[in-house]
Amino acid sequence: MWRSYITSPVKIHSTSSHSHSSFHCSSFKDIQSLCTDDPNPLHNNNNNNNTSRKPSVFHRARIVHAFIRSLKPESESPFKREPKNDTSADENNKNSLQVQQQQPTIRIPGADQRVVVYFTSLRVVRSTFEDCKAVRSILRGFRVQLDERDLSMDSSFLNELQRILGGGGQSKLTLPRVFIGGRYIGGVEEVRQLNETGELKKFVEGLPAAERGVCNICGGYSFVLCGECDGSHKVYAEKGVGFKSCNACNENGLIRCPSCSYAPF
């Protein structure tokens, strides 16, 4: 990188020796000997084994600072990190699970071999729709039989859920609601906590596996058009009565799929 030393015929008058020899100061007497380069580096390399070079000012400063830091106790170090208290989140999860276990058990008769989910597919309330979507995605990941009951497709599911939870006069009912093996689990928060702690996997163990693919009749919607009214929810009656409501379907002109749906509770 640096050009080699070449003896030049041109003589350059250097005044460095005069300036260094004429500089005298009682407070900086070591500066001249520490900062001055060796005038004959080749000679210094040959006699490197016999003589040792004096340490520089910066080297002495580093030694002093290292010695001072070693004398300080570890508690005074500003860079020492306090251990994080990660037990608070675990304690909250355990407390919520204990509260849930202390609540009276709600069960659905005849649903011991499947998972029942009450949800809505309407996007009117975005937060409710996202919660229902998240719960269904978590439960579908376990590949077990899933009985999905959409309240937006059939309003009778709302009366059914209120009767199961014992809140027939309840004006507001949040969704989703999950039952595993006929036992009431809770809503979206309970399902997420159980899934994070690994307890949800223990609840679904032993349940029958879900069939692959979708139903060939309903396409996975669990509902088909009514064969009596063709989905209009109106039928014509003779003897001058005219049109009346169809008793075979719900208010949307739909009936439960006979292939993949379950009977009402």
Side-chain angles (χ1 to χ4, degrees):
M1 180 176 178
W2 301 98
R3 298 181 60 184
S4 59
Y5 179 80
I6 301 175
T7 306
S8 174
V10 181
K11 295 183 179 180
I12 301 176
H13 298 279
S14 176
T15 58
S16 58
S17 61
H18 299 285
S19 59
H20 289 301
S21 61
S22 60
F23 177 81
H24 295 285
C25 181
S26 59
S27 59
F28 296 98
K29 59 181 179 180
D30 293 336
I31 296 298
Q32 181 178 359
S33 60
L34 294 175
C35 299
T36 304
D37 296 335
D38 194 349
N40 193 358
L42 297 178
H43 181 72
N44 187 27
N45 291 335
N46 295 332
N47 299 330
N48 191 19
N49 297 329
N50 299 327
T51 59
S52 59
R53 187 175 180 182
K54 296 181 180 180
S56 62
V57 175
F58 303 103
H59 180 67
R60 291 181 179 179
R62 285 197 300 267
I63 294 175
V64 172
H65 286 296
F67 178 72
I68 294 175
R69 285 196 300 266
S70 63
L71 296 178
K72 291 184 179 179
E74 296 181 357
S75 59
E76 298 180 0
S77 177
F79 302 100
K80 184 179 180 181
R81 295 183 178 180
E82 296 293 335
K84 295 183 179 180
N85 189 8
D86 296 336
T87 59
S88 59
D90 297 338
E91 291 179 355
N92 293 333
N93 295 335
K94 292 180 180 179
N95 294 334
S96 61
L97 294 177
Q98 292 177 358
V99 171
Q100 181 183 357
Q101 294 176 357
Q102 294 175 0
Q103 293 178 354
T105 304
I106 302 175
R107 303 190 67 89
I108 299 178
D112 298 336
Q113 297 298 318
R114 64 180 183 268
V115 179
V116 181
V117 183
Y118 289 90
F119 73 102
T120 179
S121 59
L122 293 179
R123 299 172 182 262
V124 177
V125 182
R126 185 177 180 85
S127 59
T128 303
F129 174 77
E130 295 294 337
D131 293 342
C132 295
K133 183 179 178 181
V135 168
R136 293 172 64 194
S137 177
I138 292 173
L139 295 174
R140 286 180 178 180
F142 294 101
R143 303 290 183 180
V144 295
Q145 288 188 4
L146 194 62
D147 183 6
E148 297 179 339
R149 303 191 173 224
D150 191 354
L151 274 66
S152 63
M153 301 288 285
D154 193 348
S155 61
S156 64
F157 290 150
L158 177 60
N159 300 328
E160 182 180 284
L161 181 59
Q162 289 178 345
R163 184 176 65 255
I164 293 172
L165 297 179
Q170 188 175 358
S171 59
K172 184 178 180 181
L173 183 64
T174 59
L175 295 175
R177 298 287 175 163
V178 180
F179 297 82
I180 299 179
R183 178 185 176 183
Y184 176 65
I185 299 299
V188 60
E189 295 297 334
E190 290 78 6
V191 172
R192 284 176 175 171
Q193 290 179 3
L194 291 173
N195 186 40
E196 292 176 356
T197 57
E199 296 293 330
L200 187 61
K201 184 178 181 181
K202 298 180 182 179
F203 286 149
V204 299
E205 286 181 352
L207 298 179
E211 297 181 359
R212 295 183 178 181
V214 296
C215 179
N216 296 327
I217 298 178
C218 66
Y221 293 98
S222 302
F223 284 93
V224 294
L225 291 176
C226 178
E228 299 291 334
C229 62
D230 296 331
S232 63
H233 194 54
K234 296 291 183 181
V235 294
Y236 181 78
E238 297 180 356
K239 298 180 181 180
V241 178
F243 289 94
K244 65 177 183 177
S245 299
C246 179
N247 296 325
C249 60
N250 58 17
E251 68 278 4
N252 297 321
L254 303 174
I255 60 175
R256 297 278 290 177
C257 178
S259 177
C260 64
S261 63
Y262 297 90
F265 298 116

